[in-house]
Amino acid sequence: MPDGRHSEGPTEKCGVVGVSLDDREAARPLYYALYALQHRGQESAGIVTHDGFQQHSHVEMGLVGDAFDEGDLESLNGETGIGHVRYPTAGSVDSSCAQPFSVSFKSGSLGLSHNGNLVNAEEVRQELAAKGHAFTSDGDTEVIAHDLARNLLEEDLIRAVKRTMGRIHGSYSLTIMHDDTVLGVRDPEGNRPLCIGEVDGGYMLASESAAIDVLDGEFVRDVKPGELVVLQPDGSGFDSYQLVEQDNTAHCFFEHVYFARPDSRIDDNLVYDVRRELGRKLWDESGVDSDVVLPVPDSGRAFASGYAEAAQDEGAGVEFAEGLMKNRYVGRTFIMPTQDARERAVRLKLNPIRDVVEGKTVTVIDDSIVRGTTSTQLVQLLKDVGAEEVHMRIGAPPIVAPCYMGIDMASREELIAAGQDTEDIREEIAADSLSYLSIDAVAEALGESKADLCLGCVTGEYPYDIEGETTDRDVARPEIDGAEAGIADD
Ligand code: 5GP
Ligand code: MG
């Protein structure tokens, strides 16, 4: 795929939930769960419920708190439902891609919430279009919904899902409503997170365990890569079907570095612990003596506390200080359309405390550098208020290539580390020194082998078959036995 072009359909980094309860309405728990996942998407929010007879749906642009009012929640009848928050993609804001996506077909209704991104959506869409399916959006979620609806005309639910999994390639964590049954599906590589929780009166599925916490539920376990989980409509339990087996996973390490909440538990790791461990390793690999260590709030905080702790363990006299203050009301700098707007946003968002840094040598810790806007501005700001030296330490490896799997990470031309080495970048951001974390350290902190991670954005080699990119493994599609992979004939 040429640089700068988005993968097929809009890239989606989102949050999904599903609940199945006995004797109580699903809408409010779904609403609270979506609130807990707000960081995974701020463009739109939606809930689809089923009352045993029919589907109810409310999907709106904006934040969860703005998208639903009391009346909306009251009209979402039923004890089972799914929800979605959608991440704003660079450029267009398109309400036709807001989710959950719902369709009615001959043998029932379907609702679908998707986190991730298919890399063969266009191919499947064209095959379905040739068989008469009409599409209302250019999103890949609609492709999954149509393929599944088609399979459901011929097969039972389990076989239909299995057949669709044999057809679609890429990353997907899905919550699905088939009539009043809620399902969870995680792609065979387990790229995006998805977990199961037990709550008062039933069970739930969510992108992150923090959503289970807010409902005072109990974390049960992660959904396994290639697994289908079916929540019983009466809230009494769930069934599991391992539909696809794969030798290796391709967990996204960036979920742990930046995207997920630190209080979430993903694939047996508490994100907060991973970030602190990454910070400790950053000290081990490239610690530098300075008067103070400053986190870039909020994403750099756990890294900086791990880094400072490791430094202090070794007797280094660094002081951990919150010397940068964040204005919470500034939107994410990432989605600003122009470089000028992004720079202004960083300035509005982060303000240094002069007394903490004046006359001192400082080490600034951030989780990642993407375009370099934040680091460039921070070095300048800190020098402006009298810092003697500014050392940048980054809790992830250099990001050299785009993400096709659901994290919106700009194109190669925009990535400061694409085609430049660390010394070039140091010069460009005008820091006194700059170090990133190694890929090995990331794998160690996660307790996983590199072969089980998606490292596409830091190696430029992907665990999926993406047009115009190279792969880091044998990406032969999984064998689907028992159900023929492919689109059902008329
Ligand atoms: P830069 O300013 O270098 O373009 O971006 C780096 C900053 O953006 C870091 O502070 C990091 O926490 C944050 N960041 C990293 N990845 C993402 C992302 O996918 N979306 C958003 N909104 N911010 C990100
Ligand atoms: Mg940040």
Side-chain angles (χ1 to χ4, degrees):
M1 189 161 302
D3 286 354
R5 216 182 88 196
H6 259 260
S7 50
E8 296 163 339
T11 300
E12 282 167 19
K13 153 167 111 170
C14 305
V16 303
V17 291
V19 304
S20 199
L21 303 174
D22 183 31
D23 241 15
R24 62 203 84 194
E25 296 283 296
R28 226 159 279 267
L30 285 166
Y31 173 72
Y32 298 137
L34 288 180
Y35 242 111
L37 299 178
Q38 184 76 80
H39 63 291
R40 298 187 70 88
Q42 302 89 46
E43 186 181 80
S44 67
I47 291 176
V48 167
T49 57
H50 199 286
D51 62 12
F53 300 98
Q54 59 169 322
Q55 239 185 29
H56 304 274
S57 166
H58 183 84
V59 180
E60 219 171 280
M61 303 306 285
L63 299 171
V64 177
D66 300 324
F68 302 92
D69 60 29
E70 208 40 53
D72 300 326
L73 290 176
E74 262 156 37
S75 69
L76 288 163
N77 292 322
E79 295 167 2
T80 61
I82 60 171
H84 190 265
V85 284
R86 179 179 154 87
Y87 192 73
T89 51
S92 75
V93 172
D94 180 1
S95 64
S96 72
C97 287
Q99 297 186 25
F101 186 85
S102 38
V103 290
S104 292
F105 60 107
K106 251 185 273 171
S107 60
S109 65
L110 268 183
L112 226 95
S113 293
H114 175 202
N115 171 211
N117 195 44
L118 301 187
V119 297
N120 72 336
E122 211 34 58
E123 184 189 319
V124 181
R125 178 203 307 278
Q126 278 166 19
E127 282 185 47
L128 286 165
K131 291 187 186 286
H133 286 254
F135 289 90
T136 58
S137 75
D138 63 356
D140 50 359
T141 308
E142 189 176 3
V143 172
I144 304 174
H146 278 265
D147 191 69
L148 188 56
R150 188 172 186 91
N151 291 337
L152 279 167
L153 297 177
E154 301 202 336
E155 317 218 57
D156 64 31
L157 182 61
I158 315 301
R159 290 171 59 87
V161 171
K162 188 167 178 173
R163 191 166 185 158
T164 292
M165 289 174 84
R167 221 15 235 139
I168 57 179
H169 184 57
S171 86
Y172 51 92
S173 279
L174 304 166
T175 53
I176 304 173
M177 289 277 304
H178 176 233
D179 294 333
D180 62 352
T181 303
V182 173
L183 326 175
V185 178
R186 198 170 175 201
D187 73 62
E189 286 79 18
N191 184 252
R192 298 280 135 218
L194 189 65
C195 62
I196 310 169
E198 184 174 359
V199 291
D200 207 14
Y203 283 83
M204 71 181 288
L205 295 153
S207 292
E208 291 184 35
S209 62
I212 301 169
D213 295 342
V214 299
L215 298 182
D216 295 320
E218 286 287 327
F219 174 79
V220 176
R221 64 171 173 84
D222 292 292
V223 175
K224 292 177 211 139
E227 184 186 21
L228 162 67
V229 170
V230 183
L231 302 188
Q232 263 132 39
D234 64 0
S236 62
F238 63 89
D239 295 315
S240 152
Y241 305 86
Q242 188 65 46
L243 296 185
V244 185
E245 299 269 7
Q246 201 83 314
D247 291 340
N248 286 103
T249 59
H251 296 314
C252 168
F253 80 95
F254 210 69
E255 285 278 350
H256 292 272
V257 164
Y258 171 74
F259 199 33
R261 283 171 59 142
D263 52 340
S264 284
R265 186 170 286 285
I266 296 177
D267 295 321
D268 299 327
N269 283 308
L270 176 65
V271 174
Y272 178 71
D273 286 344
V274 171
R275 289 188 189 163
R276 281 179 48 87
E277 184 56 24
L278 291 169
R280 294 191 68 95
K281 289 185 182 301
L282 195 54
W283 168 265
D284 293 342
E285 288 189 350
S286 62
V288 52
D289 253 319
S290 67
D291 300 324
V292 285
V293 173
L294 304 184
V296 180
D298 294 308
S299 53
R301 204 170 267 142
F303 294 84
S305 81
Y307 180 97
E309 189 186 77
Q312 285 153 7
D313 285 355
E314 275 185 17
V318 298
E319 181 203 344
F320 175 88
E322 301 262 0
L324 288 166
M325 284 303 133
K326 178 171 167 177
N327 179 337
R328 282 174 200 291
Y329 305 97
V330 179
R332 297 196 152 193
T333 54
F334 234 67
I335 53 164
M336 303 283 163
T338 64
Q339 186 59 21
D340 196 53
R342 274 194 290 272
E343 281 167 20
R344 173 60 50 195
V346 174
R347 186 67 190 90
L348 283 172
K349 191 157 152 180
L350 294 170
N351 195 36
I353 302 178
R354 180 183 290 269
D355 301 57
V356 175
V357 295
E358 195 165 25
K360 306 241 176 82
T361 59
V362 303
T363 304
V364 180
I365 315 266
D366 205 354
D367 62 287
S368 58
I369 297 181
V370 183
R371 293 183 176 85
T373 315
T374 308
S375 323
T376 308
Q377 290 241 330
L378 278 179
V379 172
Q380 185 61 49
L381 276 173
L382 290 166
K383 296 235 160 149
D384 286 350
V385 295
E388 292 213 330
E389 291 170 15
V390 179
H391 303 276
M392 290 290 311
R393 291 293 176 274
I394 305 299
I399 293 167
V400 298
C403 175
Y404 298 95
M405 274 35 268
I407 290 198
D408 192 24
M409 230 187 242
S411 59
R412 277 191 177 81
E413 300 94 273
E414 294 173 291
L415 295 170
I416 195 172
Q420 291 206 92
D421 64 21
T422 304
E423 175 53 23
D424 296 333
I425 302 165
R426 184 203 65 75
E427 224 181 284
E428 194 174 326
I429 68 174
D432 292 281
S433 77
L434 166 69
S435 289
Y436 290 90
L437 196 63
S438 69
I439 293 175
D440 286 331
V442 169
E444 274 168 34
L446 285 167
E448 297 212 56
S449 99
K450 284 186 275 184
D452 286 320
L453 295 173
C454 178
L455 296 165
C457 61
V458 294
T459 61
E461 294 183 346
Y462 299 86
Y464 296 93
D465 181 11
I466 300 164
E467 204 188 314
E469 298 283 4
T470 51
T471 58
D472 69 355
R473 63 189 69 188
D474 177 9
V475 288
R477 307 284 168 84
E479 283 293 313
I480 305 286
D481 52 65
E484 231 182 287
I487 292 175
D489 275 319
D490 293 303

